[in-house]
Amino acid sequence: MEGGDGAGILRISIYTPADGSLVSDQIPISGEADVDRAIEAAQQAFAPGYEWRRMDDFTRQKVLLKFADLIESNQEYLASLTRVTLGAPYKQFGKSEIDTAIGCFRYYAGWIGKFAGQSFPATDGFFKVVRNEPLGVVAGIIPWNGPLASIGLEAAPALATGNVFILKPSEKTPLAAAALGKLAIEAGFPPGGFQVLTGDGSTGAILASHMRIAKVSFTGSVPTGKSVQVLAARSNLKRVTLELGGKSPAVVFDDANLEKQFNGKCVNGLINNSGQICFAASRVYVQDGIYDKFLAAYREAVAAKREVMGDPESSTSEIGPVVDQAQYERILRIINTARESNDGKLLQGGEALGAKGFYIDPAIFLDTGKDSSIARDEIFGPVVVIN
């Protein structure tokens, strides 16, 4: 939902998936003028003789390490900002997601000063040197399902290699990313070194097509990733990194330790973040000899997890709602279509739960065809097919 204000600024409204109530209607959509200002500041920080460009390796390393420390000391606050719009309980997902961000900044800080390059003997009369140099202004367009982890995965390596970075968080979960701006200043990033631009797909399109951005990194859906690649190619042929959707399989053989499967990949892999994660175990292949035993135990384990589904603010909750009404309606539509078209057998679940909020009872489908939509396409919700 978008609207304007007296100054003509378009804004986004965001809601909590726990009960559908409004969180804020004041999230600005960054337009072309905002992007241009951010790039001007970034280019100045990167220009020869300016602070980020002339910063020595040890000082840049200290900045990244301090930033990691600040994320760690503010992790409960940052997690609450993500949780209110994502709906993932801290116990099951929030802490591990923030730990990923912290770990990335610390890990890549350790790489600073270690990009040695190459040199070759001048046997042919030519002295040849390969030197690694930063690209310049790099933009990261991150998804809504793991906003802080994605920041660590995309911003940390770019900054560690001497680039300046512009972050565009998802319009569904922008709050924690926006809060990082203050921490970036406190960590010692110079003006323009690390920036956050809120907005929707239109902001991402401006970044992907901008002539003064050297690289764009995008994590999200395949259709949007294709658009990013096209925009990058049609502009300045900027470098592109894409991490797009998939359909993660789990394979269980007769000699598998079932307890580990249910405490790890198979069940927790499905219900973690309500299945809204790239490595959710959304299709499971089980060897014949263990199939019946596996299925009975899997069904029981998923039913037990239903008992810890609830308000993401509760310390006892392990499963929360899906991110918003659009995702909620999309997942239920996929389940209902599969059921009506006999696209496999629905063993249990697949229903909306509760009078308010976007909660879905995890759905288990059996005997789906290899070409069926629910076995082939990424659903990004609590739906599993077992064959």
Side-chain angles (χ1 to χ4, degrees):
M1 179 179 177
E2 300 172 6
D5 60 14
I9 300 172
L10 288 175
R11 300 183 185 275
I12 302 168
S13 296
I14 51 176
Y15 302 83
T16 177
D19 59 14
S21 61
L22 179 70
V23 174
S24 174
D25 57 4
Q26 296 296 309
I27 308 300
I29 299 177
S30 300
E32 289 187 12
D34 302 300
V35 173
D36 285 341
R37 282 195 294 270
I39 291 173
E40 288 287 349
Q43 287 185 320
Q44 185 167 350
F46 186 72
Y50 283 83
E51 194 169 351
W52 189 248
R53 188 66 172 267
R54 72 177 182 223
M55 190 177 286
D56 64 82
D57 290 341
F58 296 109
T59 305
R60 184 179 290 122
Q61 185 180 66
K62 285 174 64 177
V63 171
L64 262 66
L65 290 173
K66 185 173 181 181
F67 192 51
D69 291 343
L70 288 168
I71 294 174
E72 185 173 41
S73 62
N74 289 274
Q75 62 181 301
E76 291 188 10
Y77 171 64
L78 293 171
S80 70
L81 293 178
T82 294
R83 188 166 59 248
V84 72
T85 52
L86 177 59
Y90 184 73
K91 177 180 179 181
Q92 184 67 21
F93 181 75
K95 188 176 189 312
S96 64
E97 199 238 345
I98 291 179
D99 286 344
T100 298
I102 296 166
C104 282
F105 277 100
R106 288 176 176 161
Y107 173 81
Y108 285 106
W111 274 99
I112 294 176
K114 298 180 177 65
F115 302 101
Q118 293 175 296
S119 64
F120 300 87
T123 54
D124 57 356
F126 294 92
F127 185 62
K128 299 172 285 294
V129 176
V130 178
R131 185 172 65 181
N132 298 309
E133 295 185 348
L135 293 170
V137 183
V138 175
I141 305 170
I142 64 169
W144 49 262
N145 66 314
L148 285 167
S150 297
I151 291 167
L153 291 164
E154 298 195 13
L159 292 164
T161 48
N163 299 283
V164 288
F165 193 82
I166 298 173
L167 171 71
K168 207 295 282 185
S170 169
E171 62 271 27
K172 295 187 179 187
T173 54
L175 299 181
L180 290 181
K182 181 179 179 181
L183 300 185
I185 295 171
E186 189 176 346
F189 285 102
F194 180 89
Q195 300 178 79
V196 181
L197 289 175
T198 59
D200 58 8
S202 65
T203 308
I206 295 169
L207 291 167
S209 60
H210 207 286
M211 295 295 291
R212 290 186 291 164
I213 289 179
K215 174 175 179 174
V216 62
S217 176
F218 170 78
T219 302
S221 70
V222 172
T224 306
K226 289 180 178 179
S227 297
V228 168
Q229 183 112 30
V230 168
L231 290 170
R234 286 179 177 171
S235 52
N236 59 345
L237 205 62
K238 62 176 63 63
R239 301 190 190 192
V240 179
T241 299
L242 302 175
E243 182 193 353
L244 308 179
K247 188 71 172 177
S248 305
V251 184
V252 184
F253 294 104
D254 287 347
D255 60 351
N257 183 319
L258 286 186
E259 184 177 349
K260 284 187 176 180
Q261 288 300 320
F262 298 133
N263 290 334
K265 176 64 178 173
C266 284
V267 173
N268 284 347
L270 175 69
I271 60 92
N272 196 10
N273 203 14
S274 299
Q276 302 168 123
I277 198 163
C278 59
F279 49 83
S282 56
R283 54 180 174 142
V284 182
Y285 299 99
V286 187
Q287 195 168 0
D288 287 343
I290 202 174
Y291 180 78
D292 291 337
K293 183 178 180 181
F294 174 92
L295 188 59
Y298 188 98
R299 185 176 186 177
E300 182 180 346
V302 170
K305 291 294 184 182
R306 187 191 300 158
E307 302 302 316
V308 289
M309 176 184 288
D311 184 354
E313 298 295 335
S314 171
S315 60
T316 61
S317 294
E318 294 185 23
I319 313 176
V322 297
V323 67
D324 62 9
Q325 185 169 355
Q327 182 76 349
Y328 173 76
E329 292 175 351
R330 174 183 168 275
I331 294 168
L332 290 175
R333 186 167 59 250
I334 290 171
I335 293 170
N336 290 333
T337 299
R339 181 190 300 167
E340 292 167 4
S341 60
N342 294 317
D343 200 3
K345 174 186 175 183
L346 179 61
L347 182 65
Q348 71 181 42
E351 302 289 341
L353 294 177
K356 60 181 181 179
F358 307 129
Y359 296 89
I360 298 176
D361 190 5
I364 302 173
F365 280 89
L366 308 179
D367 304 323
T368 56
K370 65 179 181 179
D371 294 323
S372 64
S373 176
I374 57 171
R376 185 185 65 244
D377 299 331
E378 185 175 46
I379 298 171
F380 228 57
V383 182
V384 64
V385 298
I386 303 178
N387 286 308

